[in-house]
Amino acid sequence: MKVTIIALLALLLYGCSPTNSSDGYGWNSNNPVSDSLCKRLEWQFNDYCPLESINHTLEMLNRASDTPSAQHLCRLVYWKARYLSRIGQQDAALRLVDNALNEFEIPPSSQEYLRMRAFLVVHKDTIKGDEEYRVYKECMDYSREMGDHASEAMMAVYLGNLFRSIGEYQQSMEHYRLADSLSESLGFKKFVVKNKLNEALVLKAMGNKA
């Protein structure tokens, strides 16, 4: 009964909802309620929705299963970590993800594992260089294979940032523009606008280099 009520709320409270009817999120099916809420969170984070709206969806996801699977718990950890990061609690977010990767038995090739691993790479200053590139690239390739354009766009931005940091401006711009294309197809307008700032930095650096 509780899950049924949450399912109805997920449909009725679809505030800050996407205008694009295509999926493009690529989450493997867990249960209908969890799947719906994960897609909603994907939209809310990428369109920079209000924090109270995101927190409300997280609370619904937390109550979405009476007997949560490891997959569901990993997704919950991932979204909670992104929320904590958004409000500036980086240490708490990193501890949450680190503990989940050690506690839950999830395949290293799974979407949940790769997303959490990429999250650590982004936010841990100790992970740099070849490992940083490898994790982003692996996650981006997997996301593309799964049709997860939202994650693919995010990884493209991370790779663009990495290439920009080492002066590979052409590759950086190519990844930023890939992220733009994917995000536009999903209707993530604010994500695209923010990414234009990255592109402007590349163009400025290329001008200075010339």
Side-chain angles (χ1 to χ4, degrees):
M1 180 67 176
K2 180 175 72 175
V3 172
T4 302
I5 292 172
I6 294 172
L8 290 171
L9 285 171
L11 294 173
L12 292 172
L13 299 177
Y14 210 79
C16 211
S17 58
T19 56
N20 193 309
S21 60
S22 64
D23 191 323
Y25 302 123
W27 287 101
N28 292 322
S29 181
N30 183 34
N31 71 59
V33 179
S34 173
D35 296 346
S36 175
L37 292 170
C38 280
K39 290 174 184 178
R40 184 182 181 198
L41 284 163
E42 195 82 73
W43 172 266
Q44 289 176 314
F45 274 100
N46 282 287
D47 205 50
Y48 297 89
C49 289
L51 289 172
E52 58 269 22
S53 175
I54 295 174
N55 190 47
H56 179 68
T57 308
L58 276 172
E59 290 174 357
M60 293 172 68
L61 184 61
N62 193 38
R63 301 191 302 268
S65 177
D66 294 322
T67 55
S69 63
Q71 182 187 40
H72 175 83
L73 292 172
C74 286
R75 291 181 181 187
L76 183 59
V77 164
Y78 171 74
W79 291 117
K80 280 186 175 179
R82 286 192 63 179
Y83 176 79
L84 289 170
S85 176
R86 181 69 62 88
I87 63 175
Q89 296 185 21
Q90 298 289 355
D91 290 343
L94 291 171
R95 283 196 302 271
L96 194 64
V97 173
D98 263 330
N99 291 339
L101 288 173
N102 291 324
E103 180 180 350
F104 299 122
E105 294 184 2
I106 52 174
S109 60
S110 70
Q111 186 177 33
E112 289 76 19
Y113 182 93
L114 289 171
R115 281 206 182 204
M116 286 195 290
R117 186 74 184 115
F119 181 90
L120 289 181
V121 172
V122 172
H123 296 285
K124 268 190 174 180
D125 293 335
T126 56
I127 304 175
K128 296 295 181 185
D130 291 345
E131 184 180 3
E132 190 176 11
Y133 172 81
R134 180 182 57 78
V135 171
Y136 294 159
K137 186 68 166 60
E138 183 180 359
C139 190
M140 189 172 80
D141 290 346
Y142 179 84
S143 298
R144 180 181 295 127
E145 181 182 342
M146 295 299 296
D148 185 356
H149 302 318
S151 178
E152 185 183 355
M154 192 187 312
M155 294 306 116
V157 170
Y158 294 157
L159 283 167
N161 292 342
L162 180 60
F163 283 121
R164 175 161 58 88
S165 71
I166 61 175
E168 294 290 342
Y169 299 124
Q170 190 61 44
Q171 290 194 66
S172 177
M173 185 63 81
E174 288 173 5
H175 282 84
Y176 288 148
R177 287 177 174 163
L178 171 62
D180 281 348
S181 176
L182 293 166
S183 298
E184 285 170 355
S185 73
L186 294 169
F188 295 160
K189 295 180 181 178
K190 292 180 183 177
F191 186 98
V192 173
V193 169
K194 186 173 181 180
N195 195 40
K196 294 298 182 186
L197 298 176
N198 290 325
E199 294 171 21
L201 291 172
V202 171
L203 291 172
K204 181 181 179 182
M206 291 175 74
N208 290 340
K209 187 176 180 180

